Amino acid sequence: MPPVKKPKAVKIEKQATPKKTIDKSKDVVSGQLKKKVAKAKPQKEKGPERGVIIVKHLPHGFFEQQLRQYFRQFGRVLRIRLARSLRTGNSKGYAFVEFEYPEVAKVAADTMDNYLMFQKVVKASYIPPEKQTFNFFRTSLKKVVNKAGKEIYVSDVTKATQRSVKKQNTWDESACQQRTVANLKKIKKLQEKYKDLGIDFSNLLVEPVAKTKKTAEATETAEASTSKAAAKSAAKKQKQTAKKQPTLEDLLGTTINEDSDDEDYVDASDDESEEELKEEEEEQSSEDSDEEEEDLPPPPKKKNKASLSDKLKRKPGTGGVQKKKLAPAAKAPKNAATQKLQLAAAKSLAKPLPKGKAKKSKK
């Protein structure tokens, strides 16, 4: 069979899609990028170049105040930051110092490098402006005054907790009202949140009483009355203490009448007892010698009233208090008759030596 010619395919022209005209005046930016651009802060213009140095191996006790005073000899010091621990607030041993001019910073770094200070070799190096990318003077530590009145460095979190505790511990009327208002706002938010469940917090709310002029005057009068009462009580206490002030005799009464453990105290009563014993011995001897005389009553004893100065007699060259000394045992006086009897007994017992022995003893 002869070949058959196929008809040519007819080209069907498609309708051209309408082209969108792009305005070159508008810039195409994504939504995320738009948010970032909106949040981005405008860059500040760079100021004049400053000189920054880092000082290492600082001795203990060389803190911010000491650093500022020491580096002031080189030039004007703008900022100082001593590296401190976030947990304890103690120094880490290195610091950053910023000077007004870079030339001054170079001189300070050269002079302080390998400088012996309190048995420590200090290291110092200059940081040029090109390498000052990091903010060396930014810190989260805060200065706080502790209970002892000393300034210490603590982290931002600990300072915030201390501030909140201090705020909660204040019980002034204004502070209480602020707290109640803040709590009311929280409860209103909860009520809006659980409105669909039918929970109503209005029965539980107690709105704070607004402070008026009358209430303020009443509180002022009450405070004035309490202050007056406190002043009166303090005055009474002072009067009572003034009345109860002891005298010297009251203070020394216990030491005079009672025995003490110290050995330097001499009581005048001991001297009196010794005098009495001597008087008794004299009386007894006079009675034995004069037996024929009539027994006369002893003369009345003179009782000297010991004054405070007599009772506080002290030995020369001694200080303190002395114990009472025991009186010596009184020896009984011997009568004349007893003495004669003793002599006769001694003569009878004594025998004369033989003649031969007596001569030998003489030789």
Side-chain angles (χ1 to χ4, degrees):
M1 285 198 52
V4 180
K5 289 183 179 179
K6 289 182 179 181
K8 291 180 179 180
V10 182
K11 290 180 179 181
I12 300 167
E13 292 181 358
K14 291 181 179 180
Q15 291 181 355
T17 54
K19 292 181 179 180
K20 291 181 180 179
T21 56
I22 297 166
D23 294 335
K24 291 182 179 180
S25 60
K26 292 181 179 180
D27 295 329
V28 180
V29 181
S30 66
Q32 290 180 356
L33 221 149
K34 275 184 180 179
K35 287 179 183 178
K36 286 182 181 179
V37 168
K39 285 182 181 179
K41 293 179 181 178
Q43 291 183 354
K44 293 181 181 179
E45 294 181 358
K46 287 186 178 181
E49 292 180 351
R50 304 294 186 189
V52 180
I53 64 169
I54 181 170
V55 189
K56 299 177 184 178
H57 302 174
L58 288 171
H60 182 73
F62 210 63
F63 301 137
E64 286 87 357
Q65 187 180 359
Q66 289 81 7
L67 281 164
R68 189 176 290 278
Q69 288 179 354
Y70 186 79
F71 283 100
R72 201 181 287 171
Q73 61 183 322
F74 298 104
R76 189 184 172 194
V77 178
L78 298 177
R79 288 186 291 178
I80 282 176
R81 184 176 81 85
L82 181 69
R84 289 179 176 273
S85 172
L86 290 171
R87 187 174 63 85
T88 61
N90 295 332
S91 172
K92 287 186 177 181
Y94 66 94
F96 298 96
V97 185
E98 186 182 35
F99 292 94
E100 189 175 5
Y101 302 107
E103 295 82 11
V104 176
K106 286 178 184 176
V107 173
D110 292 338
T111 53
M112 289 305 297
D113 194 23
N114 295 325
Y115 188 83
L116 184 64
M117 182 183 287
F118 295 102
Q119 298 179 357
K120 280 200 172 186
V121 180
V122 178
K123 298 286 182 181
S125 57
Y126 172 68
I127 303 170
E130 308 89 54
K131 294 183 179 180
Q132 293 177 15
T133 54
F134 179 74
N135 189 2
F136 301 111
F137 301 95
R138 185 180 179 182
T139 181
S140 61
L141 288 170
K142 305 290 180 183
K143 195 185 282 186
V144 177
V145 179
N146 61 1
K147 290 181 180 179
K150 188 179 179 182
E151 288 184 346
I152 57 169
Y153 285 87
V154 295
S155 62
D156 202 1
V157 178
T158 52
K159 189 183 179 184
T161 53
Q162 285 180 4
R163 190 168 58 247
S164 64
V165 167
K166 192 176 180 181
K167 193 184 288 184
Q168 291 294 328
N169 287 337
T170 53
W171 292 98
D172 299 335
E173 288 187 4
S174 59
C176 290
Q177 282 185 351
Q178 286 177 0
R179 262 182 246 144
T180 48
V181 167
N183 291 329
L184 284 169
K185 286 180 182 177
K186 288 180 183 178
I187 292 166
K188 282 178 183 178
K189 284 182 181 178
L190 285 171
Q191 193 168 359
E192 289 175 0
K193 188 177 180 180
Y194 298 109
K195 193 175 183 180
D196 301 332
L197 299 173
I199 298 169
D200 189 16
F201 293 99
S202 61
N203 296 326
L204 303 173
L205 295 177
V206 178
E207 293 187 358
V209 179
K211 195 174 181 182
T212 57
K213 290 182 179 179
K214 290 181 180 179
T215 55
E217 288 175 359
T219 53
E220 285 177 1
T221 52
E223 288 176 358
S225 62
T226 53
S227 64
K228 285 179 182 178
K232 284 181 181 179
S233 63
K236 283 182 181 179
K237 285 180 181 178
Q238 286 180 357
K239 286 180 180 178
Q240 288 175 0
T241 52
K243 285 179 181 178
K244 290 180 179 179
Q245 281 181 356
T247 58
L248 183 64
E249 293 179 0
D250 297 335
L251 291 170
L252 296 173
T254 54
T255 58
I256 292 163
N257 299 322
E258 295 178 2
D259 295 336
S260 60
D261 295 331
D262 297 330
E263 297 180 355
D264 296 334
Y265 178 73
V266 178
D267 195 357
S269 60
D270 296 337
D271 300 336
E272 290 175 1
S273 62
E274 289 176 1
E275 289 174 1
E276 289 173 1
L277 287 168
K278 287 178 182 178
E279 288 175 2
E280 287 176 0
E281 288 175 3
E282 289 175 0
E283 287 172 4
Q284 286 177 0
S285 60
S286 63
E287 284 176 1
D288 293 334
S289 59
D290 303 333
E291 289 178 354
E292 294 177 356
E293 292 179 4
E294 294 179 0
D295 295 333
L296 295 171
K301 295 179 184 178
K302 294 180 180 179
K303 292 183 179 179
N304 295 326
K305 291 184 179 179
S307 62
L308 183 65
S309 60
D310 296 335
K311 285 187 177 183
L312 292 173
K313 284 182 181 178
R314 295 187 183 278
K315 286 184 178 181
T318 58
V321 184
Q322 188 178 359
K323 282 185 177 178
K324 287 183 177 180
K325 291 182 179 178
L326 296 169
K331 293 180 180 179
K334 293 179 180 180
N335 296 331
T338 55
Q339 285 179 359
K340 287 177 181 178
L341 288 168
Q342 285 177 358
L343 286 167
K347 285 177 181 178
S348 64
L349 289 169
K351 292 179 180 179
L353 291 169
K355 294 179 180 180
K357 288 182 181 178
K359 287 178 181 179
K360 286 180 184 178
S361 63
K362 285 178 181 179
K363 287 179 181 180

